[in-house]
Amino acid sequence: SAVISQKPSRDICQRGTSLTIQCQVDSQVTMMFWYRQQPGQSLTLIATANQGSEATYESGFVIDKFPISRPNLTFSTLTVSNMSPEDSSIYLCSASQVATEAFFGQGTRLTVV
Amino acid sequence: KNEVEQSPQNLTAQEGEFITINCSYSVGISALHWLQQHPGGGIVSLFMLSSGKKKHGRLIATINIQEKHSSLHITASHPRDSAVYICAVGSMDSNYQLIWGAGTKLIIKP
């Protein structure tokens, strides 16, 4: 199994600023994903973080708003750019080495004021 | 129709009661996950299942692959069990991505 450390666990940010969320995995994993949970909603996939190349974004999410980095097989970051109150959500990273496993960060609760 | 359906959406029970939360899915899966989301938003992985039954403390998770159904049970429930419980499935077709249920909000009253 793998352990994911996600930071920060929560933050309150001013509108117009950017926040970078980090996920560190204690072992190499093939796949890493970033999800968003808006208030009262299910978790929704933002993008798949690809090691050494650009992330693959889901419909409705764009790189300019949610730039993602994955410099190696154990680390990824998600940046929420030019934040507005509508970006207030929980952001979650997950990782998989094989299709039958998934590991999760603890989530980041973001409030934009 | 959502690919992952949880029931009930909300559940309030008295301390000590036996709790059952259900998850039905319509896709072929590689694995099913149960997670607990605390009131502050923090998320904890409880179980990962591909068959049968798993037990951890007062929590029991079962899955019936033929019926495409899983249940999460809590025995001797306690107010600290109050949280949102989320079911997520790894679809065979989705390249490791997860499909999430909407969650079940559980409140255990003392």
Side-chain angles (χ1 to χ4, degrees):
Chain A
S1 64
V3 176
I4 302 179
S5 175
Q6 183 173 341
K7 296 179 181 179
S9 59
R10 58 177 60 224
D11 207 342
I12 301 173
C13 300
Q14 296 291 323
R15 67 178 69 201
T17 63
S18 297
L19 175 73
T20 295
I21 303 168
Q22 299 181 356
C23 272
Q24 177 73 55
V25 191
D26 68 350
S27 60
Q28 292 187 342
V29 288
T30 305
M31 308 292 287
M32 291 187 75
F33 303 96
W34 287 98
Y35 295 89
R36 180 178 74 178
Q37 184 186 40
Q38 294 181 298
Q41 303 295 315
S42 303
L43 281 138
T44 302
L45 181 66
I46 297 172
T48 302
N50 301 310
Q51 192 265 326
S53 65
E54 193 172 287
T56 305
Y57 289 84
E58 296 299 301
S59 176
F61 298 97
V62 295
I63 188 171
D64 290 345
K65 177 66 176 176
F66 297 102
I68 288 171
S69 78
R70 190 166 176 210
N72 55 53
L73 292 175
T74 65
F75 185 77
S76 180
T77 67
L78 168 75
T79 299
V80 186
S81 302
N82 188 25
M83 288 183 286
S84 67
E86 291 70 36
D87 295 318
S88 298
S89 297
I90 292 170
Y91 294 86
L92 178 72
C93 69
S94 77
S96 295
Q97 181 59 18
V98 295
T100 53
E101 288 186 327
F103 311 103
F104 303 95
Q106 298 80 15
T108 297
R109 188 180 198 98
L110 171 62
T111 303
V112 183
V113 297
Chain B
K1 188 177 187 296
N2 295 331
E3 292 171 305
V4 179
E5 298 257 0
Q6 283 187 240
S7 62
Q9 282 187 306
N10 296 281
L11 178 58
T12 300
Q14 290 296 131
E15 183 174 357
E17 288 188 34
F18 182 81
I19 303 299
T20 296
I21 299 170
N22 298 298
C23 177
S24 296
Y25 52 91
S26 57
V27 297
I29 68 167
S30 53
L32 182 144
H33 305 265
W34 283 102
L35 300 96
Q36 179 191 54
Q37 186 171 29
H38 296 293
I43 293 174
V44 175
S45 177
L46 298 176
F47 294 105
M48 180 173 60
L49 294 163
S50 54
S51 64
K53 175 181 175 179
K54 288 189 175 180
K55 184 176 189 292
H56 185 255
R58 295 180 294 105
L59 301 177
I60 303 165
T62 64
I63 188 168
N64 185 316
I65 298 295
Q66 287 73 32
E67 295 185 3
K68 296 188 173 181
H69 180 268
S70 176
S71 293
L72 176 68
H73 305 287
I74 305 174
T75 62
S77 60
H78 190 276
R80 65 174 175 266
D81 298 324
S82 298
V84 174
Y85 292 84
I86 304 172
C87 167
V89 302
S91 168
M92 285 181 174
D93 299 324
S94 69
N95 193 29
Y96 297 39
Q97 295 169 18
L98 296 173
I99 306 171
W100 298 82
T104 295
K105 185 174 183 179
L106 174 65
I107 297 173
I108 303 296
K109 294 186 174 181

